[in-house]
Amino acid sequence: MSSFRIGAALLLLLVLMALFAPVIAPGDPLAISGQAMLRPFESEAHLLGTDRLGRDVFAGLVHGTRTTLLVAFFSAAAALIIGSIVGTISGFLGGITDIVLMRITEAFQTVPGFLLALATISVTGPSAPTLVLAISLGNWTQAARVTRAEVLSLRERDFVAAARTLGMRPFEIAFREILPNAFGPTASLAAISVATAILIEAALSFLGFGDPNRVTWGSMIAEGRTVLRAAPYLSIVPGIALVVTVLSVHLIGRGLSRTERLQP
């Protein structure tokens, strides 16, 4: 449980940073606010220094937390919802519906999630909503397969037969009776989905496919890449933030998995 507490504390700190970003670092983080290429702690007004254009690194770091967590949480939630719906329909109806939906799932699994997200962004254009859509499109298949497996084991249980006897409709049984009981193992994938979404969003932003109107850690790392020898802090600072965020999600997921194994 200690790993869960550490991860939860780190993630809570990041969430609070994202929520209070306008208070912690007021103003536009993309605006030029001082002399260019100031090193960390060289100026009281710019604790973490400035980039090549004179933009405050600390402001970018704080506001970038908003973008990262927003895209990660919403894309992970969308992936779990899509996967749960597809898996429930596939497992409950079976037959030709199951075959078709599983073949579609396998088709999505053959394409790496990052490449699918990159192709989607290239077509739709970079923005926060399209980032959520692009990442969730490559991240829902595992949830679908886990949900289907659980539904297959639950659909012949006594409570399902009782629901049929009471005259409940098939989809009502599937989504009101079976899915809530099958969602536990699927929800355990949330940590993996969030961590994957964080890394994909950072990679897309690093390549210039992030939302141009928002500060992202990936774009900050890419900005620092051009002056890596002269100012390595420009890439190191957002890189550390990215590592801490993924680590916190990983610790939460590991703590939850241990708790599930200890339950009788």
PDB file of all heavy atoms in Angstrom, residues 74-98:
ATOM      1  N   PHE A  74      -8.864  12.194 -19.973  1.00  0.00           N
ATOM      2  CA  PHE A  74     -10.012  12.101 -20.863  1.00  0.00           C
ATOM      3  C   PHE A  74      -9.824  11.006 -21.908  1.00  0.00           C
ATOM      4  O   PHE A  74     -10.771  10.295 -22.251  1.00  0.00           O
ATOM      5  CB  PHE A  74     -10.290  13.446 -21.537  1.00  0.00           C
ATOM      6  CG  PHE A  74     -11.138  14.368 -20.713  1.00  0.00           C
ATOM      7  CD1 PHE A  74     -10.558  15.314 -19.894  1.00  0.00           C
ATOM      8  CD2 PHE A  74     -12.518  14.279 -20.741  1.00  0.00           C
ATOM      9  CE1 PHE A  74     -11.333  16.157 -19.111  1.00  0.00           C
ATOM     10  CE2 PHE A  74     -13.320  15.116 -19.974  1.00  0.00           C
ATOM     11  CZ  PHE A  74     -12.723  16.068 -19.154  1.00  0.00           C
ATOM     12  N   SER A  75      -8.623  10.865 -22.434  1.00  0.00           N
ATOM     13  CA  SER A  75      -8.382   9.816 -23.424  1.00  0.00           C
ATOM     14  C   SER A  75      -8.455   8.432 -22.788  1.00  0.00           C
ATOM     15  O   SER A  75      -8.984   7.478 -23.385  1.00  0.00           O
ATOM     16  CB  SER A  75      -7.038  10.017 -24.116  1.00  0.00           C
ATOM     17  OG  SER A  75      -5.979   9.998 -23.186  1.00  0.00           O
ATOM     18  N   ALA A  76      -7.946   8.292 -21.554  1.00  0.00           N
ATOM     19  CA  ALA A  76      -8.043   7.011 -20.854  1.00  0.00           C
ATOM     20  C   ALA A  76      -9.496   6.674 -20.544  1.00  0.00           C
ATOM     21  O   ALA A  76      -9.928   5.522 -20.708  1.00  0.00           O
ATOM     22  CB  ALA A  76      -7.227   7.050 -19.565  1.00  0.00           C
ATOM     23  N   ALA A  77     -10.275   7.671 -20.116  1.00  0.00           N
ATOM     24  CA  ALA A  77     -11.693   7.435 -19.839  1.00  0.00           C
ATOM     25  C   ALA A  77     -12.446   7.049 -21.106  1.00  0.00           C
ATOM     26  O   ALA A  77     -13.259   6.118 -21.102  1.00  0.00           O
ATOM     27  CB  ALA A  77     -12.317   8.689 -19.215  1.00  0.00           C
ATOM     28  N   ALA A  78     -12.148   7.749 -22.210  1.00  0.00           N
ATOM     29  CA  ALA A  78     -12.805   7.419 -23.481  1.00  0.00           C
ATOM     30  C   ALA A  78     -12.444   6.019 -23.940  1.00  0.00           C
ATOM     31  O   ALA A  78     -13.299   5.265 -24.428  1.00  0.00           O
ATOM     32  CB  ALA A  78     -12.417   8.442 -24.545  1.00  0.00           C
ATOM     33  N   ALA A  79     -11.175   5.632 -23.771  1.00  0.00           N
ATOM     34  CA  ALA A  79     -10.736   4.294 -24.174  1.00  0.00           C
ATOM     35  C   ALA A  79     -11.437   3.218 -23.352  1.00  0.00           C
ATOM     36  O   ALA A  79     -11.875   2.185 -23.896  1.00  0.00           O
ATOM     37  CB  ALA A  79      -9.223   4.170 -24.035  1.00  0.00           C
ATOM     38  N   LEU A  80     -11.567   3.435 -22.048  1.00  0.00           N
ATOM     39  CA  LEU A  80     -12.235   2.453 -21.189  1.00  0.00           C
ATOM     40  C   LEU A  80     -13.720   2.351 -21.522  1.00  0.00           C
ATOM     41  O   LEU A  80     -14.288   1.255 -21.516  1.00  0.00           O
ATOM     42  CB  LEU A  80     -12.044   2.824 -19.721  1.00  0.00           C
ATOM     43  CG  LEU A  80     -10.637   2.680 -19.157  1.00  0.00           C
ATOM     44  CD1 LEU A  80     -10.602   3.131 -17.700  1.00  0.00           C
ATOM     45  CD2 LEU A  80     -10.157   1.237 -19.251  1.00  0.00           C
ATOM     46  N   ILE A  81     -14.355   3.479 -21.803  1.00  0.00           N
ATOM     47  CA  ILE A  81     -15.781   3.463 -22.137  1.00  0.00           C
ATOM     48  C   ILE A  81     -16.018   2.735 -23.464  1.00  0.00           C
ATOM     49  O   ILE A  81     -16.886   1.855 -23.565  1.00  0.00           O
ATOM     50  CB  ILE A  81     -16.338   4.903 -22.198  1.00  0.00           C
ATOM     51  CG1 ILE A  81     -16.356   5.516 -20.797  1.00  0.00           C
ATOM     52  CG2 ILE A  81     -17.741   4.916 -22.797  1.00  0.00           C
ATOM     53  CD1 ILE A  81     -16.676   6.992 -20.778  1.00  0.00           C
ATOM     54  N   ILE A  82     -15.232   3.096 -24.482  1.00  0.00           N
ATOM     55  CA  ILE A  82     -15.379   2.437 -25.786  1.00  0.00           C
ATOM     56  C   ILE A  82     -15.098   0.941 -25.663  1.00  0.00           C
ATOM     57  O   ILE A  82     -15.864   0.099 -26.162  1.00  0.00           O
ATOM     58  CB  ILE A  82     -14.432   3.079 -26.819  1.00  0.00           C
ATOM     59  CG1 ILE A  82     -14.826   4.528 -27.085  1.00  0.00           C
ATOM     60  CG2 ILE A  82     -14.457   2.288 -28.136  1.00  0.00           C
ATOM     61  CD1 ILE A  82     -13.805   5.292 -27.906  1.00  0.00           C
ATOM     62  N   GLY A  83     -14.005   0.594 -24.996  1.00  0.00           N
ATOM     63  CA  GLY A  83     -13.653  -0.812 -24.839  1.00  0.00           C
ATOM     64  C   GLY A  83     -14.694  -1.595 -24.063  1.00  0.00           C
ATOM     65  O   GLY A  83     -15.014  -2.740 -24.409  1.00  0.00           O
ATOM     66  N   SER A  84     -15.251  -0.984 -23.017  1.00  0.00           N
ATOM     67  CA  SER A  84     -16.268  -1.664 -22.215  1.00  0.00           C
ATOM     68  C   SER A  84     -17.539  -1.916 -23.024  1.00  0.00           C
ATOM     69  O   SER A  84     -18.136  -2.996 -22.935  1.00  0.00           O
ATOM     70  CB  SER A  84     -16.600  -0.836 -20.970  1.00  0.00           C
ATOM     71  OG  SER A  84     -15.468  -0.688 -20.150  1.00  0.00           O
ATOM     72  N   ILE A  85     -17.947  -0.939 -23.808  1.00  0.00           N
ATOM     73  CA  ILE A  85     -19.157  -1.098 -24.626  1.00  0.00           C
ATOM     74  C   ILE A  85     -18.954  -2.186 -25.672  1.00  0.00           C
ATOM     75  O   ILE A  85     -19.803  -3.088 -25.838  1.00  0.00           O
ATOM     76  CB  ILE A  85     -19.534   0.242 -25.289  1.00  0.00           C
ATOM     77  CG1 ILE A  85     -19.989   1.245 -24.223  1.00  0.00           C
ATOM     78  CG2 ILE A  85     -20.634   0.038 -26.326  1.00  0.00           C
ATOM     79  CD1 ILE A  85     -20.218   2.640 -24.760  1.00  0.00           C
ATOM     80  N   VAL A  86     -17.835  -2.112 -26.387  1.00  0.00           N
ATOM     81  CA  VAL A  86     -17.559  -3.110 -27.424  1.00  0.00           C
ATOM     82  C   VAL A  86     -17.439  -4.505 -26.811  1.00  0.00           C
ATOM     83  O   VAL A  86     -18.005  -5.480 -27.321  1.00  0.00           O
ATOM     84  CB  VAL A  86     -16.267  -2.750 -28.191  1.00  0.00           C
ATOM     85  CG1 VAL A  86     -15.871  -3.885 -29.134  1.00  0.00           C
ATOM     86  CG2 VAL A  86     -16.466  -1.465 -28.984  1.00  0.00           C
ATOM     87  N   GLY A  87     -16.703  -4.632 -25.703  1.00  0.00           N
ATOM     88  CA  GLY A  87     -16.524  -5.928 -25.060  1.00  0.00           C
ATOM     89  C   GLY A  87     -17.816  -6.503 -24.517  1.00  0.00           C
ATOM     90  O   GLY A  87     -18.051  -7.714 -24.600  1.00  0.00           O
ATOM     91  N   THR A  88     -18.673  -5.646 -23.973  1.00  0.00           N
ATOM     92  CA  THR A  88     -19.955  -6.112 -23.436  1.00  0.00           C
ATOM     93  C   THR A  88     -20.864  -6.627 -24.548  1.00  0.00           C
ATOM     94  O   THR A  88     -21.461  -7.713 -24.430  1.00  0.00           O
ATOM     95  CB  THR A  88     -20.656  -4.980 -22.675  1.00  0.00           C
ATOM     96  OG1 THR A  88     -19.818  -4.536 -21.596  1.00  0.00           O
ATOM     97  CG2 THR A  88     -21.983  -5.445 -22.106  1.00  0.00           C
ATOM     98  N   ILE A  89     -20.981  -5.856 -25.616  1.00  0.00           N
ATOM     99  CA  ILE A  89     -21.835  -6.290 -26.737  1.00  0.00           C
ATOM    100  C   ILE A  89     -21.296  -7.576 -27.341  1.00  0.00           C
ATOM    101  O   ILE A  89     -22.050  -8.516 -27.630  1.00  0.00           O
ATOM    102  CB  ILE A  89     -21.917  -5.175 -27.796  1.00  0.00           C
ATOM    103  CG1 ILE A  89     -22.631  -3.949 -27.224  1.00  0.00           C
ATOM    104  CG2 ILE A  89     -22.642  -5.663 -29.043  1.00  0.00           C
ATOM    105  CD1 ILE A  89     -22.616  -2.752 -28.128  1.00  0.00           C
ATOM    106  N   SER A  90     -19.986  -7.632 -27.534  1.00  0.00           N
ATOM    107  CA  SER A  90     -19.374  -8.803 -28.148  1.00  0.00           C
ATOM    108  C   SER A  90     -19.564 -10.052 -27.292  1.00  0.00           C
ATOM    109  O   SER A  90     -19.969 -11.112 -27.788  1.00  0.00           O
ATOM    110  CB  SER A  90     -17.883  -8.543 -28.368  1.00  0.00           C
ATOM    111  OG  SER A  90     -17.238  -9.664 -28.899  1.00  0.00           O
ATOM    112  N   GLY A  91     -19.288  -9.947 -25.997  1.00  0.00           N
ATOM    113  CA  GLY A  91     -19.395 -11.110 -25.131  1.00  0.00           C
ATOM    114  C   GLY A  91     -20.812 -11.538 -24.864  1.00  0.00           C
ATOM    115  O   GLY A  91     -21.092 -12.735 -24.750  1.00  0.00           O
ATOM    116  N   PHE A  92     -21.738 -10.588 -24.771  1.00  0.00           N
ATOM    117  CA  PHE A  92     -23.123 -10.932 -24.424  1.00  0.00           C
ATOM    118  C   PHE A  92     -23.895 -11.511 -25.612  1.00  0.00           C
ATOM    119  O   PHE A  92     -24.605 -12.500 -25.471  1.00  0.00           O
ATOM    120  CB  PHE A  92     -23.847  -9.697 -23.896  1.00  0.00           C
ATOM    121  CG  PHE A  92     -25.245  -9.984 -23.415  1.00  0.00           C
ATOM    122  CD1 PHE A  92     -25.436 -10.635 -22.204  1.00  0.00           C
ATOM    123  CD2 PHE A  92     -26.350  -9.609 -24.158  1.00  0.00           C
ATOM    124  CE1 PHE A  92     -26.722 -10.912 -21.747  1.00  0.00           C
ATOM    125  CE2 PHE A  92     -27.628  -9.876 -23.709  1.00  0.00           C
ATOM    126  CZ  PHE A  92     -27.822 -10.530 -22.492  1.00  0.00           C
ATOM    127  N   LEU A  93     -23.744 -10.900 -26.780  1.00  0.00           N
ATOM    128  CA  LEU A  93     -24.494 -11.367 -27.950  1.00  0.00           C
ATOM    129  C   LEU A  93     -23.862 -12.599 -28.571  1.00  0.00           C
ATOM    130  O   LEU A  93     -24.560 -13.512 -29.037  1.00  0.00           O
ATOM    131  CB  LEU A  93     -24.617 -10.248 -28.987  1.00  0.00           C
ATOM    132  CG  LEU A  93     -25.410  -9.012 -28.556  1.00  0.00           C
ATOM    133  CD1 LEU A  93     -25.480  -8.005 -29.694  1.00  0.00           C
ATOM    134  CD2 LEU A  93     -26.827  -9.398 -28.102  1.00  0.00           C
ATOM    135  N   GLY A  94     -22.521 -12.656 -28.608  1.00  0.00           N
ATOM    136  CA  GLY A  94     -21.839 -13.802 -29.194  1.00  0.00           C
ATOM    137  C   GLY A  94     -22.118 -13.930 -30.689  1.00  0.00           C
ATOM    138  O   GLY A  94     -22.558 -12.983 -31.357  1.00  0.00           O
ATOM    139  N   GLY A  95     -21.865 -15.117 -31.244  1.00  0.00           N
ATOM    140  CA  GLY A  95     -22.171 -15.391 -32.642  1.00  0.00           C
ATOM    141  C   GLY A  95     -21.436 -14.498 -33.611  1.00  0.00           C
ATOM    142  O   GLY A  95     -20.269 -14.145 -33.409  1.00  0.00           O
ATOM    143  N   ILE A  96     -22.137 -14.074 -34.648  1.00  0.00           N
ATOM    144  CA  ILE A  96     -21.540 -13.271 -35.710  1.00  0.00           C
ATOM    145  C   ILE A  96     -21.143 -11.889 -35.194  1.00  0.00           C
ATOM    146  O   ILE A  96     -20.127 -11.319 -35.625  1.00  0.00           O
ATOM    147  CB  ILE A  96     -22.505 -13.146 -36.914  1.00  0.00           C
ATOM    148  CG1 ILE A  96     -21.816 -12.451 -38.076  1.00  0.00           C
ATOM    149  CG2 ILE A  96     -23.784 -12.430 -36.510  1.00  0.00           C
ATOM    150  CD1 ILE A  96     -20.669 -13.236 -38.667  1.00  0.00           C
ATOM    151  N   THR A  97     -21.913 -11.365 -34.234  1.00  0.00           N
ATOM    152  CA  THR A  97     -21.571 -10.053 -33.656  1.00  0.00           C
ATOM    153  C   THR A  97     -20.228 -10.116 -32.948  1.00  0.00           C
ATOM    154  O   THR A  97     -19.385  -9.228 -33.096  1.00  0.00           O
ATOM    155  CB  THR A  97     -22.659  -9.606 -32.665  1.00  0.00           C
ATOM    156  OG1 THR A  97     -23.924  -9.574 -33.328  1.00  0.00           O
ATOM    157  CG2 THR A  97     -22.340  -8.235 -32.099  1.00  0.00           C
ATOM    158  N   ASP A  98     -20.026 -11.186 -32.191  1.00  0.00           N
ATOM    159  CA  ASP A  98     -18.760 -11.379 -31.484  1.00  0.00           C
ATOM    160  C   ASP A  98     -17.600 -11.498 -32.462  1.00  0.00           C
ATOM    161  O   ASP A  98     -16.546 -10.879 -32.279  1.00  0.00           O
ATOM    162  CB  ASP A  98     -18.861 -12.635 -30.620  1.00  0.00           C
ATOM    163  CG  ASP A  98     -17.610 -12.862 -29.783  1.00  0.00           C
ATOM    164  OD1 ASP A  98     -16.938 -11.874 -29.441  1.00  0.00           O
ATOM    165  OD2 ASP A  98     -17.304 -14.021 -29.485  1.00  0.00           O
TER     166      ASP A  98
END
